[in-house]
Amino acid sequence: MTTPQVLRVLLNKFKIENSPDDFALYLVHTSGERVQLKRSDHPLVLRVLQGPCEQVSRIFLMEQDLGEEVTYDVAQYIKFEMPVLKSFITKLKEEEDREVQKLRIRYTSLRCFIEKKLQCLPEGPTCM
């Protein structure tokens, strides 16, 4: 069964009268990663492929507009405590500041170079 078929069966089973278009199936991993199943996916096959342990991943029925996808890159940070996350932000900010400083230095040197070249143009080819 495809995702829309499974959605219809679940909505009928629980006697939900809303449109199946209002809902989506999500594969949720223990890491917090959440991926919306496509219309062409086969949810039961995907669940079997995840292995027998229900702790690894589960399939949830959610309202479509409420279920933002959470990628693995984001999900790996969900389990960290706030002090650890704050230290990550501090390190990223420091790295960003270093990159901004490098760009400013490069921009300033290129600007000086261009200004020198522009000053040389009216005087003729002898200026360097």
Side-chain angles (χ1 to χ4, degrees):
M1 296 175 75
T2 64
T3 301
Q5 292 169 329
V6 172
L7 275 170
R8 274 190 231 97
V9 168
L10 287 171
L11 294 176
N12 286 337
K13 177 180 179 178
F14 295 108
K15 299 187 183 350
I16 298 173
E17 295 180 5
N18 295 33
S19 169
D21 296 333
D22 295 343
F23 296 94
L25 292 177
Y26 289 87
L27 184 65
V28 180
H29 296 271
T30 54
S31 66
E33 178 183 8
R34 181 171 51 201
V35 180
Q36 181 176 350
L37 300 185
K38 299 178 189 104
R39 294 182 58 80
S40 60
D41 285 338
H42 297 274
L44 300 176
V45 173
L46 288 173
R47 179 59 197 102
V48 169
L49 291 175
Q50 296 298 315
C53 182
E54 286 186 15
Q55 302 304 320
V56 174
S57 66
R58 295 179 179 188
I59 294 179
F60 287 96
L61 172 68
M62 299 182 202
E63 285 186 59
Q64 188 148 4
D65 57 348
L66 295 180
E68 290 181 23
E69 287 193 25
V70 177
T71 63
Y72 177 75
D73 296 337
V74 173
Q76 64 185 345
Y77 295 108
I78 290 176
K79 303 264 182 189
F80 288 115
E81 299 291 327
M82 283 306 290
V84 175
L85 292 172
K86 286 181 181 179
S87 71
F88 286 159
I89 290 172
T90 303
K91 294 287 184 190
L92 289 171
K93 179 73 174 134
E94 290 170 0
E95 186 178 328
E96 180 184 29
D97 291 343
R98 283 193 300 272
E99 290 299 317
V100 167
Q101 187 62 29
K102 285 180 192 176
L103 285 172
R104 284 187 176 149
I105 291 170
R106 185 172 180 206
Y107 171 79
T108 303
S109 65
L110 286 173
R111 182 178 178 173
C112 288
F113 175 76
I114 291 170
E115 286 175 349
K116 282 182 183 180
K117 289 294 183 183
L118 287 174
Q119 288 174 357
C120 290
L121 286 179
E123 296 177 17
T126 57
C127 181
M128 280 274 187

